Amino acid sequence: MSQTADAAFLLNSRGVSRDLDAYVVAARFSRDGRHVGFALGDGTVWLAPLGSSTDWTQVTAHDGAPLDFAADPTGNGFISGGDDGKLVRVAADATISGVADFGTKWVEHVATYPIDNTKGLIAASAGKLVRLFDTTGRVLKELTHPSTVTGLVFDAKGKRIGASHYNGASLWFVAAKTDTPRKLEWKGSHTTILIHPEGDAVVTAMQENALHGWKLPDGAHMRMSGYPAKTASLSFTRNGKWMASSGADAMVIWPFFGGGPMGKAPLELAGGDGIICAQLACNPKDEIVAGGFTDGLVVVADINSSRILPVVPPQHGPISTLAWSPDGTTLAVGSETGFAALIDFARH
């Protein structure tokens, strides 16, 4: 790509980037928004303070690969689960401390929820089991599912935790004295899960290139199909008006208002050339969504106006992760080839 064409992308004028030499499994911002962590397939985590283009630190977190990565619910660091069976805390100062050990089982999914500045919840899954911890690593609950857990998420208030698995999903109340889940059933392999910000719907991605959902509390089913590829990434806008999904040659944005999504056509943004959208992330403050494609292209779209901003040119391998800072001003990008970038949308 020419230097002139490169200049059209925000990375050139508002970004910093590095080649980290390993698959970027996940990028996440700390709860305070001051640090970003890039978890890599070689077992290391790169830590970068916002505002610095040079002060990046690499630390080994796992003897193997990290499988999921989340913000520490109370600190300025991160919680990482790996195929070495370890659940660890990665502090912003690059110190590593153990949270839990699952033995020979892979820690495949991690979710966290902040209660206040000193308390929070950490959930991690290994096989069929989900363990719920406080921030000291004390086990609060052990929740067993009918099959391997494929996705894990807290609702917006931290009152429920949802897990996807074969033939549906399970919703658990965190504070319940008796642990009996609400079972959301639909035959087939469900591969990830998302809960609506207002808690009135659950959506899963499925193995057969479709989405399935349940309206709460009545349990009415929703079916969203027609994807040419599997959906790996789902994201609601801040108020839950829209849900963005990957798995097509555009960002597919479903309306969750006016009776939708059933009976409503989705918006399709930034597509049409046959290149699949692999990852996306809705901004936590505004109705805009970032999308990363399998050719390495990253764009940001305004959902209301359909305006598209080019962010990263298609030259760094398939995009594997996207994340917004808590204040919605910075976008973190990672790719399968080890490319990592931070783009500052607040810079003038």
Side-chain angles (χ1 to χ4, degrees):
M1 183 173 290
S2 71
Q3 190 172 14
T4 301
D6 251 1
F9 291 86
L10 293 182
L11 175 65
N12 187 60
S13 59
R14 299 190 177 200
V16 295
S17 64
R18 285 200 177 190
D19 185 356
L20 304 183
D21 297 321
Y23 190 114
V24 183
V25 175
R28 299 288 184 265
F29 286 86
S30 60
R31 293 290 182 194
D32 61 10
R34 296 171 57 189
H35 296 83
V36 64
F38 294 95
L40 305 187
D42 63 3
T44 67
V45 172
W46 279 88
L47 300 164
L50 290 196
S52 172
S53 61
T54 58
D55 193 19
W56 291 36
T57 304
Q58 185 181 26
V59 60
T60 299
H62 295 282
D63 182 16
L67 301 177
D68 206 357
F69 193 64
D72 189 323
T74 59
N76 58 2
F78 307 91
I79 304 294
S80 184
D83 64 8
D84 58 358
K86 302 294 195 299
L87 184 68
V88 301
R89 175 175 281 109
V90 184
D93 65 3
T95 58
I96 305 291
S97 57
V99 177
D101 191 336
F102 284 74
T104 59
K105 291 185 177 293
W106 292 6
V107 183
E108 295 180 276
H109 301 283
V110 177
T112 61
Y113 184 82
I115 296 174
D116 56 32
N117 291 333
T118 61
K119 297 179 182 179
L121 299 171
I122 300 169
S125 73
K128 301 177 182 180
L129 179 67
V130 171
R131 285 182 180 158
L132 183 65
F133 306 90
D134 64 16
T135 49
T136 70
R138 182 171 64 97
V139 178
L140 303 176
K141 290 176 181 287
E142 289 194 343
L143 309 172
T144 302
H145 298 81
S147 57
T148 298
V149 172
T150 58
L152 196 61
V153 65
F154 284 100
D155 70 13
K157 296 181 179 179
K159 292 184 176 181
R160 293 176 295 182
I161 186 166
S164 56
H165 46 74
Y166 195 75
N167 285 342
S170 298
L171 281 181
W172 306 80
F173 278 99
V174 169
K177 295 187 182 300
T178 303
D179 291 322
T180 302
R182 176 171 181 183
K183 297 179 180 179
L184 302 174
E185 297 179 337
W186 187 261
K187 288 186 178 180
S189 180
H190 300 254
T191 57
T192 192
I193 185 171
L194 193 64
I195 299 176
H196 190 278
E198 294 184 353
D200 55 7
V202 173
V203 180
T204 62
M206 300 197 67
Q207 190 71 20
E208 62 267 24
N209 301 359
L211 308 181
H212 194 82
W214 298 263
K215 289 189 175 182
L216 304 178
D218 63 6
H221 293 278
M222 299 178 284
R223 182 76 169 166
M224 292 154 275
S225 58
Y227 290 82
K230 291 177 179 59
T231 296
S233 186
L234 297 170
S235 183
F236 275 110
T237 54
R238 177 184 56 82
N239 58 7
K241 183 178 179 181
W242 303 93
M243 187 193 74
S245 57
S246 67
D249 67 346
M251 295 183 284
V252 179
I253 318 292
W254 291 94
F256 272 69
F257 60 92
M262 303 314 296
K264 304 285 185 180
L267 300 176
E268 296 187 14
L269 304 178
D273 56 5
I275 307 298
I276 297 296
C277 176
Q279 292 289 323
L280 42 73
C282 289
N283 187 281
K285 300 295 183 181
D286 299 304
E287 288 188 345
I288 63 176
V289 57
F293 291 75
T294 53
D295 63 352
L297 174 69
V298 177
V299 300
V300 166
D302 184 308
I303 295 175
N304 295 309
S305 69
S306 298
R307 182 188 176 206
I308 307 297
L309 291 175
V311 177
V312 177
Q315 30 178 249
H316 304 288
I319 300 303
S320 54
T321 184
L322 293 170
W324 288 100
S325 60
D327 65 1
T329 63
T330 305
L331 178 68
V333 178
S335 83
E336 293 184 8
T337 63
F339 171 78
L342 294 171
I343 295 92
D344 182 0
F345 285 80
R347 187 185 301 175
H348 296 290

